[in-house]
Amino acid sequence: MAIPGLALKKENGIREKWQGLSEKEAQKRYEKYGPNILQEKKKISALKIFMEQFSDFMVLILLAATAVSIFMGEMTEAVTIIVIVVINAVLGFVQEYRTEKTMEALKELAAPTAKVMRDGKPVEIAAEEIVPGDLIILETGDRIPADAVLVESNNLFVDESLLTGESVPVEKFSDRDTTGSEKSSVYMGTNVTRGRGKAVVCSTGMMTEMGKIAGMIQDIEEEETPLQKRLDHLGKYIVFGCLIICAIVSLTGIIRGENLFTMLLAGISLAVAAVPEGLPAIVTIALALGVQRMLKKKALVRKLPAVETLGCATVICSDKTGTLTENKMTVRKMYTEDYVEVRGGSLSSKGEFISGFGIIDVKKKENLRLALEIGVLCNNAVMRKVKSSKQEKWELSGDPTEAALLVSGAKGGIFQEEINKEYKRIDEIPFDSERKCMSVICRNRKGESFVFTKGAADVIIEKCTKIYTSGGIVPLDEVKKKRILKINDDMAKEALRVLGLAYKRINRYSNFKEAESELVFVGLTGMIDPPRKEALNAVKKCNLAGIKPIMITGDHKITAYAIARELNICQEGDRVLTGKELEEMSDSKLQALVDEVAVYARVSPKHKLRIVKALKKKGHIVAMTGDGVNDAPAVKEADIGVSMGITGTDVTKEASSMVLMDDNFASIVSAIEEGRIIYSNIRKFIRYMLSCNIGEVLTMFLGMLMGLPLPLLPIQILWVNLVTDGLPAIALGLEPAEKDIMMRPPRGAKESVFSRGLLNLILFRGVIIGLSTLVVFISILKFSGDVSTARTAAFVTLVITQLIHVFECKSERKNIFEVPLFNNIPLVLAVICSLIMIIGVVYHPFFQKIFRTVALGHNEWVLIGGFSALGPVIASFFKVNAKYIRRR
Ligand code: ATP
């Protein structure tokens, strides 16, 4: 906001020492300036949703039916149709409103967060809660949450293309160096591509530069899924086809000399029977419920189409650290002239350093001490003692790799707080996964300056020309280099993540390259990062489900291979491709090879993009994880971009279609499983609704062709379609997973929803439902001569055949006698409800009047029962489902 910006100018004097706001003050300011959002999100209007229920083609047909009924003086029928339409609208409204609310809640979960100082402590809050005066902490990959002035900056580059169109990131400096200049301002919505900084917020919400441009809010995209689009199309074809059939039937009837109104009514009945009105709504509900279930399994879907694509995934490309492993690093081994075993817990400052000669006194072993010091100084993690506890207890925050180095330092008596007093940091060359190393430049009390560097051992060794030995600093020749690299490999074979440590004394430096050259090699430090326990099981599931897990890591080839072997991602002797080999390889060569490789090591984010592209060219549907900013292009390119909820940067989250709330590989596999369940359930209720509709249309159509009285009245069909079918169809969407859902190969991304024999199943059962109903109608009409009894019996047959059929739809592979009938309680309840209602409609005088039904005798019931049971018996006798298995 403009005014607080001015107020802050006054605070400028103290800005350098600005420690942020207290919670209380922040609350006050929040009340005064409001939330930090660009525009009030348009809340969905309940009325709009309700009105929308009346806007589809179905309602037009029903209105026509009402008009015809009124014209014929059938007031009860007209009123009933309207009542049914309204009840249906209310049901539709309740479901849609719930769905909308679910999506809204999800959006809030996915809303960006920001790190700020409150009460002198760093905390993570929703970006919406930021107020003018807040001190925000910016790191690589962060989306800047408000307009702010930098009070601290470290090699900070910001991508402002959203505001300026300038695609090259611009460097930003603290206000100290550039008072009042553009160079010290950062703007809401832009991204930190490199470095770190702290800034004081001066404008929030609509008063920011972005707010002035407005309308750029990024949200969960609510695009339709491919299936929804296809069903929309299908719906249009059905409506069109049904209009033609209605016209033919009505016209032939009229030409045959039938009563005009009867034929109009027949046409309308047919239309009511044919249009699968509930279908799109149920698909939406199934998707929304599925998204909710996925969230329970720690996968937040940002883009709805991903739910469907998940079921088609053929490969999952996953990072190693934190996704396949726990990202709980503990230094276990070091090397400084000799191997040193490091003992003690991962959160304890107590431990021993042991060599072949026994316990080492770190104070006396200079090179080990220096190696530990480098690890602690070249470090952005924080290790704090928990004050309240009596026992020694430490709290770690920051990158786990760095935290592990702080703990190992503490075990050697080198505590961060103390050594930081001795060495003041004057500059930093931050870690990034392209360079694979990090350096700090520090000055000690005597005024001497040093560069301390740590990073991938092979990278560090290339930057060193000397080596620190107990006999002093000596040149690092090729033989020594080779020996160190061999030791690095040996440590990596034990699945250790190995970092090299180096330093040099400097007087001055002109650029970073110079600072990181001609270093003195000090030692290696190896840390374990155990594989996640759930990952092993998840990999097994993938293998059964025809999904190939691929590990893509920045770590060393041998470490990566060792962990991949532990997790069964690759087999003995399998090829591991490195970033360097990738670089030398053409795209076509990579494509030729891509199916054979399950582990990529020492890769940079830019290689990930090439890997995704090669896999896609080979026809794979790729899920790809990513966390850093540079991963965003690969995550965007993947069919299912997966970002990390905990370690992921805002930029990558925004590029992704799914966020893993727990960064866990197993959650991707659960999401894929859920995706498969959702799709298979959608197929189940499509099968159910369409075969029911075909049954209804066939009954009416054949009846009319045979010159019979209407076998069913429009109001009866309406009841069947909206009430009897609706509830079980929704319940089918809640079907639990079939046991073998993760033992089937992934479905083809382009396959039709009716593929793999579903259309045959629908047609087959549709015909049986139609014929059973018609035969019951004709038989009773012949024997009793009473249309009302015949119609009631046909009506009941239709309902019961459908309620039996719903259980057949539980599986495409098994027949009704093989599926577990009672494992979906909502379905059982829906069927019981529908049965009770139909009995009410047949026997209660009030409903009899409305639905033109008559009480049925037990002869009719025997006939109804016999014909209703016919479908499943024929289906299992001819092994309709079994044939389907063989064809696959
Ligand atoms: P993944 O890509 O699976 O997450 P990773 O964490 O090993 O694997 P990067 O974070 O890109 O990948 O790290 C690449 C290499 O850089 C590591 O193997 C390690 O040697 C080195 N490295 C990692 N973190 C740091 C750090 N904070 N400082 C210096 N070097 C680091």
Side-chain angles (χ1 to χ4, degrees):
M1 301 212 129
I3 301 164
L6 280 178
L8 269 167
K9 287 282 171 211
K10 282 188 210 140
E11 283 165 7
N12 265 356
I14 54 160
R15 221 154 51 188
E16 262 177 57
K17 291 184 209 119
W18 191 240
Q19 284 300 305
L21 302 171
S22 64
E23 235 3 291
K24 220 167 141 195
E25 177 61 25
Q27 189 57 39
K28 251 197 230 159
R29 293 195 187 197
Y30 185 82
E31 272 155 31
K32 188 165 171 196
Y33 302 118
N36 174 36
I37 46 177
L38 282 188
Q39 52 198 174
E40 278 294 337
K41 274 184 213 155
K42 272 181 256 140
K43 291 266 180 264
I44 34 139
S45 123
L47 186 68
K48 190 165 165 248
I49 296 181
F50 188 68
M51 291 319 287
E52 268 171 13
Q53 309 296 321
F54 295 94
S55 64
D56 65 354
F57 181 72
M58 167 73 190
V59 175
L60 295 182
I61 298 176
L62 292 176
L63 288 181
T66 319
V68 172
S69 307
I70 294 172
F71 202 77
M72 289 169 74
E74 302 281 359
M75 286 316 281
T76 336
E77 179 143 338
V79 171
T80 315
I81 293 177
I82 290 197
V83 169
I84 290 185
V85 171
V86 171
I87 291 176
N88 187 54
V90 171
L91 280 179
F93 166 77
V94 171
Q95 282 153 2
E96 222 173 282
Y97 192 70
R98 254 188 57 194
T99 309
E100 281 286 347
K101 284 283 165 205
T102 311
M103 294 310 285
E104 251 183 30
L106 286 178
K107 270 187 217 167
E108 263 155 40
L109 264 180
T113 55
K115 280 169 260 119
V116 297
M117 297 294 285
R118 290 274 172 93
D119 289 326
K121 272 191 273 167
V123 285
E124 189 155 331
I125 58 169
E128 196 179 310
E129 290 166 22
I130 286 193
V131 290
D134 258 328
L135 183 67
I136 45 176
I137 304 165
L138 301 172
E139 280 167 15
T140 310
D142 282 352
R143 162 162 286 240
I144 295 167
D147 287 3
V149 179
L150 284 163
V151 289
E152 213 180 289
S153 76
N154 203 320
N155 198 20
L156 184 75
F157 285 81
V158 178
D159 173 3
E160 294 189 334
S161 52
L162 207 63
L163 277 177
T164 60
E166 174 58 66
S167 60
V168 184
V170 282
E171 188 165 7
K172 296 279 177 176
F173 302 93
S174 95
D175 197 25
R176 233 181 312 160
D177 311 319
T178 57
T179 316
S181 119
E182 267 289 294
K183 286 271 174 203
S184 60
S185 304
V186 286
Y187 301 100
M188 178 192 221
T190 58
N191 298 313
V192 180
T193 56
R194 187 135 58 94
R196 294 183 300 120
K198 283 185 183 163
V200 184
V201 173
C202 51
S203 317
T204 58
M206 291 306 280
M207 301 311 289
T208 58
E209 288 303 313
M210 189 62 95
K212 287 176 199 153
I213 305 171
M216 307 207 62
I217 205 150
Q218 300 255 356
D219 261 334
I220 294 180
E221 289 172 35
E222 271 177 74
E223 49 188 302
E224 285 196 320
T225 73
L227 180 64
Q228 282 177 312
K229 284 183 199 152
R230 261 184 261 156
L231 285 179
D232 267 0
H233 268 290
L234 179 75
K236 282 186 191 124
Y237 283 124
I238 292 182
V239 166
F240 186 68
C242 120
L243 280 180
I244 292 180
I245 295 180
C246 292
I248 295 174
V249 169
S250 305
L251 277 177
T252 40
I254 291 165
I255 290 166
R256 252 193 355 225
E258 299 273 357
N259 178 300
L260 179 70
F261 288 121
T262 315
M263 284 337 288
L264 265 183
L265 201 60
I268 288 169
S269 311
L270 250 181
V272 171
V275 180
E277 50 288 322
L279 199 55
I282 298 181
V283 171
T284 315
I285 294 166
L287 286 171
L289 290 177
V291 167
Q292 243 174 345
R293 281 200 305 270
M294 283 188 186
L295 187 63
K296 283 202 187 110
K297 296 185 175 170
K298 304 281 179 229
L300 169 69
V301 173
R302 292 187 70 249
K303 295 174 187 166
L304 210 47
V307 180
E308 270 174 44
T309 327
L310 271 169
C312 315
T314 57
V315 292
I316 310 174
C317 297
S318 169
D319 286 341
K320 170 179 73 68
T321 313
T323 314
L324 286 163
T325 65
E326 291 192 4
N327 206 6
K328 286 192 184 128
M329 310 265 177
T330 318
V331 174
R332 282 275 173 256
K333 211 170 203 178
M334 292 185 71
Y335 176 83
T336 49
E337 283 192 301
D338 273 320
Y339 278 116
V340 178
E341 191 191 328
V342 186
R343 289 194 186 158
S346 52
L347 249 180
S348 161
S349 65
K350 304 232 159 51
E352 286 115 31
F353 293 80
I354 299 176
S355 74
F357 305 104
I359 296 181
I360 303 173
D361 182 355
V362 178
K363 276 189 212 122
K364 291 187 186 149
K365 189 143 166 87
E366 241 178 75
N367 46 6
L368 180 59
R369 187 176 166 80
L370 181 57
L372 291 172
E373 280 178 356
I374 297 173
V376 177
L377 284 165
C378 182
N379 204 310
N380 286 321
V382 179
M383 183 172 176
R384 262 194 227 108
K385 205 167 190 170
V386 181
K387 278 190 191 127
S388 57
S389 76
K390 279 185 197 132
Q391 277 179 332
E392 186 223 58
K393 214 171 162 195
W394 297 87
E395 209 177 58
L396 289 167
S397 58
D399 176 7
T401 303
E402 301 194 335
L405 294 175
L406 294 183
V407 174
S408 65
K411 284 177 182 152
I414 296 149
F415 290 90
Q416 185 181 36
E417 224 171 292
E418 287 163 22
I419 198 165
N420 278 352
K421 282 183 202 147
E422 220 148 290
Y423 289 87
K424 191 169 163 15
R425 188 185 291 191
I426 42 183
D427 214 339
E428 176 189 334
I429 316 174
F431 169 75
D432 87 51
S433 24
E434 294 277 345
R435 296 182 339 104
K436 299 187 174 41
C437 66
M438 159 186 179
S439 299
V440 290
I441 292 143
C442 299
R443 191 177 298 137
N444 67 10
R445 286 197 176 134
K446 291 186 224 157
E448 299 161 325
S449 300
F450 296 89
V451 179
F452 296 114
T453 307
K454 71 172 195 311
D458 37 339
V459 173
I460 294 293
I461 206 97
E462 286 311 314
K463 296 180 187 292
C464 295
T465 50
K466 297 184 200 87
I467 178 165
Y468 195 99
T469 68
S470 39
I473 296 173
V474 297
L476 179 68
D477 55 29
E478 282 308 311
V479 179
K480 288 196 185 90
K481 264 191 192 175
K482 268 203 185 128
R483 186 172 143 65
I484 291 167
L485 287 175
K486 167 83 177 46
I487 291 162
N488 175 29
D489 287 358
D490 289 344
M491 285 168 79
K493 270 184 202 144
E494 295 171 38
L496 294 172
R497 177 186 181 84
V498 189
L499 292 192
L501 304 156
Y503 87 112
K504 79 171 172 189
R505 226 187 118 168
I506 49 164
N507 294 323
R508 44 152 218 96
Y509 69 97
S510 53
N511 57 44
F512 289 160
K513 206 165 171 202
E514 190 188 314
E516 280 183 351
S517 65
E518 300 188 7
L519 299 174
V520 180
F521 183 81
V522 179
L524 299 172
T525 178
M527 45 191 89
I528 52 152
D529 176 18
R532 281 180 184 265
K533 286 193 187 70
E534 327 77 274
L536 190 65
N537 209 3
V539 169
K540 200 158 132 199
K541 251 189 186 173
C542 284
N543 290 333
L544 281 173
I547 303 163
K548 180 179 173 184
I550 295 179
M551 176 196 278
I552 304 183
T553 174
D555 216 336
H556 191 275
K557 183 175 177 169
I558 301 176
T559 315
Y561 178 75
I563 294 187
R565 285 283 297 125
E566 270 182 49
L567 286 170
N568 259 332
I569 287 179
C570 69
Q571 305 309 320
E572 190 72 45
D574 275 1
R575 182 160 184 184
V576 178
L577 218 56
T578 63
K580 201 158 165 245
E581 286 167 310
L582 269 177
E583 219 130 82
E584 287 157 7
M585 201 176 270
S586 68
D587 283 343
S588 54
K589 179 95 192 286
L590 175 61
Q591 258 177 57
L593 223 100
V594 80
D595 274 329
E596 291 162 31
V597 184
V599 181
Y600 295 84
R602 275 284 183 263
V603 290
S604 308
K606 62 174 189 273
H607 298 132
K608 283 189 172 179
L609 186 61
R610 281 189 67 201
I611 299 169
V612 177
K613 282 188 173 162
L615 284 165
K616 280 176 81 174
K617 274 251 165 71
K618 288 287 257 187
H620 284 290
I621 300 297
V622 187
M624 163 71 94
T625 68
D627 44 15
V629 228
N630 306 347
D631 287 339
V635 167
K636 198 157 201 160
E637 175 71 28
D639 299 285
I640 309 147
V642 184
S643 62
M644 300 297 157
I646 304 169
T647 55
T649 50
D650 294 346
V651 180
T652 320
K653 280 186 196 156
E654 221 143 78
S656 67
S657 40
M658 191 170 96
V659 185
L660 289 186
M661 307 298 270
D662 59 354
D663 291 12
N664 190 343
F665 178 80
S667 305
I668 311 178
V669 183
S670 303
I672 288 182
E673 183 170 358
E674 204 53 61
R676 287 187 176 195
I677 299 172
I678 293 172
Y679 195 83
S680 102
N681 286 355
I682 288 178
R683 270 173 75 101
K684 284 173 193 168
F685 61 68
I686 287 181
R687 171 184 174 189
Y688 175 61
M689 292 194 89
L690 292 189
S691 41
C692 291
N693 279 19
I694 288 175
E696 291 157 23
V697 171
L698 209 68
T699 311
M700 298 300 290
F701 190 58
L702 291 181
M704 282 180 233
L705 284 189
M706 290 161 79
L708 298 169
L710 287 184
L712 299 157
L713 293 174
I715 195 152
Q716 294 168 342
I717 297 177
L718 197 58
W719 172 268
V720 175
N721 253 8
L722 296 179
V723 184
T724 323
D725 292 359
L727 288 178
I730 295 173
L732 266 184
L734 299 173
E735 273 287 298
E738 287 173 62
K739 277 208 179 85
D740 60 346
I741 194 104
M742 285 302 266
M743 291 177 196
R744 311 169 189 167
R747 66 165 210 279
K750 292 201 182 106
E751 79 167 37
S752 133
V753 68
F754 298 112
S755 68
R756 289 182 271 135
L758 190 66
L759 191 62
N760 290 351
L761 288 185
I762 292 173
L763 291 174
F764 174 78
R765 275 311 260 122
V767 169
I768 295 189
I769 292 175
L771 291 183
S772 311
T773 312
L774 200 63
V775 170
V776 169
F777 178 73
I778 295 172
S779 320
I780 297 184
L781 192 64
K782 273 262 153 65
F783 290 119
S784 72
D786 178 23
V787 187
S788 295
T789 314
R791 233 175 233 157
T792 309
F795 179 35
V796 176
T797 310
L798 188 65
V799 169
I800 298 198
T801 44
Q802 295 187 357
L803 292 183
I804 292 176
H805 180 48
V806 76
F807 289 101
E808 288 180 282
C809 294
K810 284 168 78 82
S811 168
E812 290 173 27
R813 282 142 231 268
K814 293 180 180 161
N815 64 45
I816 197 167
F817 306 106
E818 295 162 336
V819 291
L821 295 181
F822 305 108
N823 64 346
N824 180 356
I825 301 297
L827 181 67
V828 176
L829 291 180
V831 169
I832 293 175
C833 256
S834 297
L835 272 178
I836 294 174
M837 285 196 280
I838 191 67
I839 289 174
V841 164
V842 172
Y843 289 103
H844 196 287
F846 175 73
F847 293 113
Q848 280 178 340
K849 234 194 244 155
I850 294 175
F851 291 94
R852 314 284 183 77
T853 50
V854 290
L856 296 174
H858 90 298
N859 281 349
E860 281 94 22
W861 275 108
V862 170
L863 205 62
I864 291 169
F867 275 95
S868 304
L870 211 57
V873 173
I874 296 178
S876 38
F877 184 76
F878 288 107
K879 294 197 167 50
V880 180
N881 291 354
K883 245 190 230 156
Y884 173 76
I885 293 180
R886 259 184 258 133
R887 248 215 319 258
R888 271 201 60 157

